[in-house]
Amino acid sequence: MALDDQKGGFKFIGTRPNRPDGLDKVTGRARFGADAHASGMLHAAILRSPHAHARIKKIDTSRAEAAKGVKAIVTRADFTQSLQPAPGMKGENWNILENVMAGDTALYDGHAVAAVAATSALAAKDALKLIEVEYEPLPHVTDVDKAMQADAPVIREGVAAGTVPKGLHPNVAGYHESGHGDVEAGFAEADLVVEDHFVTEATHQGYIEPHACLAQLGADGKGELWCCTQGHWNVQKVCAALLDLETSQLRVTASEIGGGFGGKTAVFIEPVALALSRKANRPVKLVMSRAEVFRATGPTSSTSMDVKIGMKKDGTITAAQGVFRLQGGAFPGAPADMTAMCAFAPYALKNVHQIGYDVMTNRPKQAAYRAPGSPMAAFGVESVIDELCNQLGLDPLDTRLKNASHEGTKASYGPKFQRIGLVETLEAAKAHPHYTAPLKPGQGRGISCGFWFNHGGETAVSLALSEDGTVQLAVGTPDIGGSRASMALMAAEVLGVPYDNIRVIIADTASLGYNEISHGSRVTYASGLATIKAAEDAVKKLCARAAAKWGIPEDAVKWEDGCAVPSGPNAGEFPPMPIAEITRKMGATGGPICGHFEATPEGAGVSFATHIVDSEVDPETGKTSVVRYTVVQDAGKAIHPTYVEGQFQGGAAQGIGWALNEEYIYGEDGRLQNPLFLDYRIPVASDLPMIDTVIVEVPNPGHPYGVRGVGETSICPPLAAIANAVSAAAGVRMRQLPMSPPRILEALEKQAGDG
Amino acid sequence: MRYHTPDNFDEASALAAQASGTTRFLAGGTDVLVQLRSDIVTPDDLIDIKHIPGVREITNEDHGGWRIGVAVSGAEMTEHPRLELDWPGVVEAMDLIGSTQVQGRATLVGNLCNGSPAADAVPALAAAGAHVTVVGPNGSREIAVEDVPTGPGKTCLEKGEVISALHLPRRGHAAGDAYLRFIPRTEMDIAVVGAAINLRLDGDTITEARVALGAVAPTVRLVPKAGAALIGSTLDEAALDKLARAARAACNPIDDRRGTIKFRTKVAGVLAQRAAKIAYARAKGDRK
Ligand SMILES: Cc1cc2nc3c(=O)[nH]c(=O)nc-3n(C[C@H](O)[C@H](O)[C@H](O)COP(=O)(O)OP(=O)(O)OC[C@H]3O[C@@H](n4cnc5c(N)ncnc54)[C@H](O)[C@@H]3O)c2cc1C
């Protein structure tokens, strides 16, 4: 429910029209990654390492090449030779290349080593079996704590960024440290200090559409690529670098996307399909299987964390400290800095200190997953706060309110907060009937706050008016959450034309300037801001045409309800001139009317959420069910409230999976044991309660309508809120995720044994 | 791959006997086709038994028992007007398999012959005392359900043998069965533990009891000692306690991605108790 009193006289913003892609999706007309076809198209398949860590001594493709239907085989030799490894994130293109196709070493179970294009998908798959790879297995490590120990096998020497202190294991690729005040003095002031260790497992974004693309690349270096991605300009840039192409010669079109959640911000198969196409001189289609998605695309980091917080009897936090170790797979880049920076952001603290370690292991390269790094931090921090409240007999919401960050607070990670809405979410949670509803025996309630930065980023939008006064809006950020509806609403608001008169498309890379990936909850903020500005640009031109017709100065015309009107009595008496009247004659009055906007907006407002969860635990089997769930989050301004609520609910649903059952399980052999949805247990519909939502609207001063990103913050509180609820229901503190039934039963037995 | 559609079981058996490579019968295909698509088993001969007359029929036999055709799907069992009145535990076990889509195809015999230790229908069938008729190169034979699986993915069926029907005994009076499984979610999962109980009462006292467990050993297991723990009791606390202990003692599970040895063993006892309570209530006439 949006707050009606803050509607601020909007006509379209805040309404709930159907999404423009709705009919396409429910009728099967929508074209996803695997729906692209081209005549003469080949099908590709990728050979993957069965070893967690192995030197590739030899790859013999001769038998496969001779197989019926096989048209091309590529290995690392078919990609650029001009990239070089470099410490930290400096060598990122080389890292991507190394991940896309292994060099001299297979770094994880599922690492690509070769690929085949053949006349059918079956022929390609069969040909893989004919490729002979000689491996020399190497010692491997998949656990983050073990990977930091002195005797751990080294994934790759010389990766550590300059910020990493001397003396750490070479697997530590990155290091972050920040904070302020004096934590030791703070702990000394506390009446109670709780310190605990927390562990979370890697989880996959679990998008329902596997990665898929269709690539075409000729000997002239000109290419076409259709793929499902969260950011096709990034795909263009990376593919060009990996294949020695000129960026502009490769046109990339983003398909409809069946979920991404951050996992489709990375590049995996596109360069492979392009390399095969170049070699075979035919279009090549490449579609991942689910097992490949699990084994070789980004899960999130697993973590090992230590959190220590001191509190006074009245609930005042005196000091907070955290150490966060993130396992990032066989490459640098785990968001340890984000984890550390988000950990204590909800609280106004005098003394705070946080450290993050980015650690490499023999696992797939971690990829962004909704608010990368933040949910795990909240799990540790909010569990400790819950424990402090329990032991001191304090109300968990009042305690959080007492310490909450607000406008002007020096954030735990440095800057001063502008206008933020944490207090408002806490107050709304407190006022919500859920918070005071009675619990049944065996049930427990948990709450948690969560924080995410949000992001702006490079953005370009273009808008063209048609002769009939309707509008074509081209944005460059793939629609992963209903953003086309929000863009149309914002354009409608500025132009004063009906929502249905606006067609929004996701333009290809040749049609707009660079657009950063749809990540960082930036789309409704940044593309939205650019849409508003582009529409305003068009309005200015529309007014100019009316001014010319009326023979009055341009600034004597204003835009109202889809019409040009004189700006005041002095401007003259003219009847309103509707948009269609202007566009009908635009060819003769100066040519086509378009609006555009290009910028890197910097005003993305940070956002906070508070979640309330009730759970029930079966003490005989350890089985947990979530029986009630309420999400309260600051959206700044909900452009399309239904899709804001959808983001809130989606974050909670994915959080429930992460908290209760989802995990990457590795065997002693370093191989992933559950690369299918059967044993990688995301929640099914019947596992979830109705997830209630409350939209809080504390406008972001950095957006014309006050928008804050909402896509990521919603997954920050669930792990902790559910852990707190389950711990209350089970009567034992759960410090490891997922809280699967065996773990809960184990904890209960341990407690019974100790007691 | 050769695809066959025999008209009768003798022909099906002959085809299987003559086949030299990997052979699979195709009932619902919800195991066979999944294994094929994911490159786990690619049969050389695929013998579709759904074209044999009568395979989709559920018949009440003269002696009062039920004959279930080898292509009868889970959905057809659930929708049958009378089967569930006699064998609610068997029907609920079959109904737990997969989703609506899978229910339209999956069969009891496919579940049995796929040989999974975690197969849901099999403990209920074993507890019910079901048996199968097998047609083979040397004629036909009857085998108790619990004797069919011999290890994960393995059965006692000889080369060329095909199951032609499954039989449930006459239900008789004052009896009830029940099946429960443990999964971490609410559906679409594989049993971490399964427990089936089949009881008969005389007044309040249990006179017959069969207990079978799934997913706690290399095969589904009939546990006579667990049954014996109940006989003569009124399902009082002491009997339930003995039941749980006997069930746990019969467990020989593995640690894997689905559960630990400890967890499976503990929960086997819990589920056996819970299923026993349901079967007992059903035997007393509770048809909820
Ligand atoms: C999405 C999904 C969910 C599932 N969920 C569950 C679940 O919850 N619980 C569960 O137990 N299983 C589950 N399964 C597995 C499967 O559905 C069951 O095992 C099902 O009962 C198999 O029956 P079918 O008729 O499809 O067998 P098929 O796949 O046709 O055959 C299975 C095996 O039985 C053999 N066979 C079939 N008929 C005969 C015969 N007449 N004589 C001799 N051998 C024969 C075949 O050769 C093959 O080896 C699931 C499968 C899927 C795809």
Side-chain angles (χ1 to χ4, degrees), chain A residues 350-382:
Chain A
K350 274 213 314 238
N351 308 301
V352 60
H353 186 246
Q354 55 250 338
I355 293 176
Y357 295 95
D358 166 10
V359 185
M360 302 202 301
T361 66
N362 295 110
R363 294 204 196 192
K365 186 181 199 299
Q366 65 76 38
Y369 180 12
R370 279 186 123 149
S374 180
M376 305 83 127
F379 167 55
V381 169
E382 299 280 325

Side-chain angles (χ1 to χ4, degrees), chain A residues 577-668:
Chain A
M577 188 181 289
I579 188 167
E581 195 179 317
I582 303 172
T583 53
R584 199 178 314 129
K585 300 194 187 107
M586 65 187 167
T589 60
I593 301 176
C594 299
H596 67 102
F597 185 77
E598 296 80 22
T600 303
E602 303 280 359
V606 303
S607 108
F608 292 89
T610 301
H611 290 194
I612 316 172
V613 183
D614 295 350
S615 83
E616 201 169 273
V617 173
D618 180 338
E620 286 189 311
T621 64
K623 181 166 172 160
T624 296
S625 37
V626 174
V627 293
R628 188 167 180 182
Y629 203 116
T630 305
V631 176
V632 186
Q633 186 175 320
D634 177 15
K637 176 73 212 167
I639 300 298
H640 191 305
T642 304
Y643 302 149
V644 170
E645 288 159 0
Q647 292 296 315
F648 288 9
Q649 292 169 320
Q654 289 188 308
I656 289 172
W658 194 341
L660 296 183
N661 287 306
E662 291 179 38
E663 65 178 310
Y664 265 49
I665 303 172
Y666 279 90
E668 287 291 313

Side-chain angles (χ1 to χ4, degrees), chain B residues 24-25 27-32 49 98 107 111 113 119-120 163 181 189:
Chain B
R24 286 290 182 276
F25 293 104
T30 60
D31 283 313
V32 168
I49 52 175
T107 66
N111 196 232
C113 295
D120 280 309
I163 293 176
R181 70 170 180 186
D189 221 324

Side-chain angles (χ1 to χ4, degrees), chain A residues 294-314:
Chain A
F294 274 115
R295 288 169 72 206
T297 74
T300 185
S301 294
S302 59
T303 68
S304 152
M305 312 180 282
D306 294 298
V307 177
K308 182 176 178 183
I309 301 176
M311 197 178 266
K312 287 201 169 139
K313 281 190 185 124
D314 69 354

Side-chain angles (χ1 to χ4, degrees), chain A residues 620 623 679 682 686-687, chain B residues 185-187 189 258 274:
Chain A
E620 286 189 311
K623 181 166 172 160
D679 287 308
I682 64 169
S686 53
D687 291 337
Chain B
R185 295 183 291 188
T186 47
E187 58 179 329
D189 221 324
R258 293 177 187 152
R274 290 180 182 179

